[in-house]
């Protein structure tokens, strides 16, 4: 159940030594080699004699912690050098240079990136010479930094590893799922003809990407959860419980769970959980009972296809944890803000981060050229971007985006609208902000779109700008990998989606009193479809108690519970929500708070539990006796909260929650009542919703759906209640 790589660490070392006998490769990580002034001649005996005599200035003692990454040979060389230099006890300078060879093991180039950008480090060029030796342990590199008006800065480094960074994976699985963590690259007949046929593991993929990759030995096999599917809340709770055993800091460690199915059904193949405490991008989940396990009709080898697709999906989701965007989303950086460097889209890239069915020619064309690797720009980022941008638990994914230079379509066939269901876009203090996205066919001809487009928000950017503050991008708490479902929008037809924009991975986005401008953009190959700006306002607090509660309400934990519609394990957040209900019952925020409190207990829920006093080191769940337990529902409590939120002052609920979410939650209450045998009461709830939404002029098709359901409920309720009508 665990990744057993055919190449162990010892094997890798032996392989490196064997390779070096044929050709000396110099790429890898180098650490600072301290040189004492006056002993330069002694250092020269290690192969730098002529270079030192010609260099002029005396070698300066290296700073402890200074590093060099040289990327000029081996697999997928990027012809790049980068390094880190401590500039204070708490800050390090990061530099990157593009280099070219000027001789055997000699490289020079210009420094094109510095972080922080404003720094007293004025050097603009590097010259690198590596000692020619087949023994990696004796390999050394001399780096000369030069810049206009500056004395050369000379440093010596010793070879540390052929890898640029280290990372650790843990693969856990749910019974009876058998994880695919390695495949035969030529098992399926559709593969690159010139590509070597080999057994390739997930670990090997990331080793080839430049990471010293290890896999924990105690993989957990978790029992199949009751019901066979996972909700977002249950998956999120399992992740929170599991990762809370570790230090709450960024670390090169990633958890992947191979599960059966998400409650959303077979359309969801994988998800990256980005919000584990304050540290993001630390875990992914794969769902095998989904579209990723469905071979296309007539496929020559269905078993090999499924294995390859499951393998690809795992690496794809893990790539997101390394902060990689989809291949077609990279321009979200350049036009709309400042990522680590300006990027361009790679819609045809044969990369783990592209969708095989999205390229010209579809999956067949993709896999005919796919070499089971990341693209060069992705490798450049993984190997050489500042550590905090890549490491799990560190930087968020793509910040500070706007639309000042959007590549607009002329007369686009689709229109995108951001709206709120109220006459005046003013929100009470503490009231969560829910906006609705509407994607409509504005042309006179049918348009084919992805029915899951708004569910995943793939290719859609939402920017939020508070008056007097920089714009920032809304980033949802979870990233979904869903099967595209082509659907035809007739002229005037639309897709709708409610979006909780109060908070996301960038933190609390809309909370402080003031004016906010929101704008959305859909990115298509033909250009961008940009919504009109939505201007809304958050009113000031009415009383001091609201400001006191706000300190706990606008927190990461509460925001996650609100976004995932509940939690069984984030008890502090639940206490805050109950305090909101008790103390601010007449405020709109109380209706929002009741929803997750109710839905978390409306049905039996699966919770990953660990024994008390579990070892706080990196071990698998199985090794410490972890298990998945089914906690019982509390239907009476859930019913009371949902009725208070949705039926009492129903018009206020529909306005505050938004029409889309209001219907979703009323339908959840209806299902709960049906399950309890209260079909007549369920019909009344649907009656209330029909009256409220009819008065608010929702689509006739929505009202027809509600009417059909309430009529069906009445049909069931009449004989059970002995009524003759």
């Amino acid at each position: 159940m665990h990744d057993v790589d055919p190449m162990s660490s010892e094997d890798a070392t032996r392989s490196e030594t064997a390779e070096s006998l044929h050709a000396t490769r110099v790429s890898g990580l180098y650490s600072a080699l301290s040189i004492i002034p006056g002993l330069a001649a002694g250092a020269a005996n290690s192969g730098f004699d002529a270079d030192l005599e010609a260099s002029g200035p005396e070698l300066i003692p290296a700073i402890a912690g200074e590093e060099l990454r040289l990327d000029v040979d081996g697999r997928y060389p990027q012809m790049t050098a980068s390094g880190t230099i401590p500039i204070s006890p708490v800050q390090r300078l990061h530099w990157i240079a593009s280099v070219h060879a000027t001789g055997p093991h000699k490289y020079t180039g210009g420094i094109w990136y510095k972080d922080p950008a404003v720094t007293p480090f004025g050097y603009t060029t590097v010259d690198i010479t590596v000692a020619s030796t087949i023994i990696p342990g004796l390999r050394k590199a001399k780096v000369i930094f030069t810049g206009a008006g500056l004395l050369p800065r000379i440093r010596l480094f010793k070879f540390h590893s052929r890898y640029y960074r280290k990372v650790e994976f843990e693969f856990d699985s749910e019974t009876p799922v058998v994880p695919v963590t390695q495949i035969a690259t030529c098992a399926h007949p559709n593969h690159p003809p010139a590509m070597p046929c080999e057994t390739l593991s997930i670990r090997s993929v990331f080793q080839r990407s430049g990471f010293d990759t290890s896999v924990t030995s105690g993989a957990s096999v978790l029992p199949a959860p009751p019901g066979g599917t996972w909700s977002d809340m249950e998956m999120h709770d399992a992740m929170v419980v599991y990762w809370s055993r570790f230090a709450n800091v960024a670390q090169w460690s990633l958890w992947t769970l191979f599960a059966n199915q998400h409650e959303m059904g077979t359309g969801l193949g994988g998800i990256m959980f980005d919000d584990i405490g304050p540290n993001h991008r630390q875990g992914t989940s794969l769902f095998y009972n989904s579209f990723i396990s469905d071979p296309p009709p007539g496929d020559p080898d269905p078993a090999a296809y499924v294995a390859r697709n499951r393998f690809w999906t795992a690496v794809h989701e893990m790539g997101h944890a390394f902060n990689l965007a989809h291949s077609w989303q990279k321009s979200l950086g350049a036009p709309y803000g400042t990522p680590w460097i300006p990027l361009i889209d790679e819609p045809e890239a044969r990369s783990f981060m592209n969708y095989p069915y999205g390229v010209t020619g579809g999956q067949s064309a993709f896999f005919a050229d796919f070499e089971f690797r990341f693209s060069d720009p992705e490798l450049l980022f993984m190997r050489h971007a500042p550590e905090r941008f890549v490491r799990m638990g560190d930087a968020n994914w793509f910040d500070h985006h706007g639309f000042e230079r959007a590549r607009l379509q002329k007369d686009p066939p689709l229109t995108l609208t951001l709206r709120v269901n109220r006459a005046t876009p003013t929100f009470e203090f503490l009231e969560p902000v829910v906006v609705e996205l509407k994607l409509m066919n504005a042309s006179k001809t049918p348009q084919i779109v992805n029915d899951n487009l708004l569910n995943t928000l793939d290719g859609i950017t939402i920017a939020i700008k508070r008056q007097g503050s920089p714009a920032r991008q809304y980033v949802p708490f979870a990233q979904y990998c869903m099967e595209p479902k082509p659907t035809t929008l007739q002229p005037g037809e639309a897709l709708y989606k409610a979006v909780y924009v109060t908070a996301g991975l960038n933190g609390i986005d809309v909370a402080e009193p003031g004016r906010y401008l929101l704008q959305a953009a859909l990115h298509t190959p033909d250009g961008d479809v940009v919504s009109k700006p939505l201007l809304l306002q958050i009113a000031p607090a009415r009383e001091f108690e609201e400001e006191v509660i706000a300190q706990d309400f606008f927190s990461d934990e509460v925001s996650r519970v609100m976004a995932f519609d509940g939690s069984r394990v984030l008890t502090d957040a639940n206490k805050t929500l109950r305090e909101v209900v008790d103390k601010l019952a007449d405020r709109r925020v109380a209706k929002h708070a009741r929803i997750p409190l109710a839905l978390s207990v409306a049905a039996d829920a699966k919770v990953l539990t660990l024994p008390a006093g579990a070892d706080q080191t990196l071990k698998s769940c199985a090794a410490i006796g972890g298990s998945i337990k089914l906690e019982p529902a509390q239907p009476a409590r859930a019913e009371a909260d949902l009725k208070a939120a949705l039926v009492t002052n129903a018009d206020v609920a529909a306005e505050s929650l938004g029409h889309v979410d209001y219907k979703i939650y009323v339908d959840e209450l209806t299902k709960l009542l049906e399950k309890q045998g209260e079909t007549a009461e369920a019909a009344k709830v649907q009656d209330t919703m029909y009256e409220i939404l009819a008065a608010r002029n929702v689509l006739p098709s929505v009202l027809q759906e509600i009417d059909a359901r309430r009529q069906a409920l009445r049909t069931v309720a009449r004989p059970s209640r002995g009524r003759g009508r």
Side-chain angles (χ1 to χ4, degrees), residues 457-479:
L457 295 183
D458 272 348
I460 292 181
T461 301
I462 300 176
I464 301 172
K465 188 180 189 314
R466 185 181 178 221
Q467 190 174 30
S469 301
R472 50 196 284 139
Q473 182 192 355
Y474 165 75
V475 184
F477 281 116
Q479 306 295 327

Side-chain angles (χ1 to χ4, degrees), residues 563-601:
F564 286 100
D565 282 337
S567 173
R568 288 286 186 108
V569 301
L570 297 178
T571 54
D572 287 344
N574 287 336
K575 288 178 182 178
T576 298
L577 294 178
R578 185 56 65 185
E579 182 182 17
V580 168
V581 169
D582 293 340
K583 295 183 177 181
L584 302 174
D586 61 334
R587 303 289 196 270
R588 295 188 172 201
V589 65
K591 289 188 173 291
H592 290 262
R594 288 184 184 273
I595 300 294
L597 289 173
L599 294 182
S600 65
V601 296

Side-chain angles (χ1 to χ4, degrees), residues 395-444:
N396 292 346
W397 187 23
F398 280 103
D399 281 341
H400 308 299
H401 289 208
F403 300 111
E404 289 81 0
R405 291 157 50 199
R407 186 171 54 94
L408 301 179
Q409 286 191 49
K410 182 180 180 181
D411 300 323
L414 301 172
T415 60
L416 190 65
T417 304
L418 265 182
R419 67 185 190 184
V420 291
N421 299 123
R422 56 186 73 197
T424 304
T426 300
F427 290 74
E428 292 181 355
F429 182 67
L430 289 177
E431 181 184 6
V433 176
V434 178
V435 300
E436 287 183 3
L437 275 173
K438 177 183 178 182
L439 182 65
M440 187 181 76
N441 179 4
S443 72
K444 296 180 180 180

Side-chain angles (χ1 to χ4, degrees), residues 309-387:
N309 215 29
R310 289 174 172 178
F311 184 88
W312 172 87
T313 303
V315 178
H316 175 93
E317 295 299 333
M318 294 171 73
H320 283 319
F322 283 81
N323 216 358
L324 295 177
H326 289 124
S327 298
W328 66 91
Q329 287 181 320
K330 300 187 178 195
S331 68
L332 294 182
Y336 306 125
T338 306
W340 85 285
I341 57 172
L343 299 169
I344 60 173
D345 290 335
E346 297 181 285
E348 294 295 324
R350 271 40 173 182
S351 163
F352 278 110
M353 301 315 297
N354 207 359
Y355 280 172
Y357 42 73
V359 305
T360 302
Q363 297 190 65
S364 178
F366 179 90
F367 283 112
D369 296 330
F370 181 49
E371 297 180 0
F372 292 89
R373 58 166 291 191
F374 295 100
S375 69
D376 283 348
E378 290 159 356
L379 291 175
L380 179 69
F381 176 81
M382 297 168 80
R383 294 173 178 179
H384 299 287
E387 183 177 55

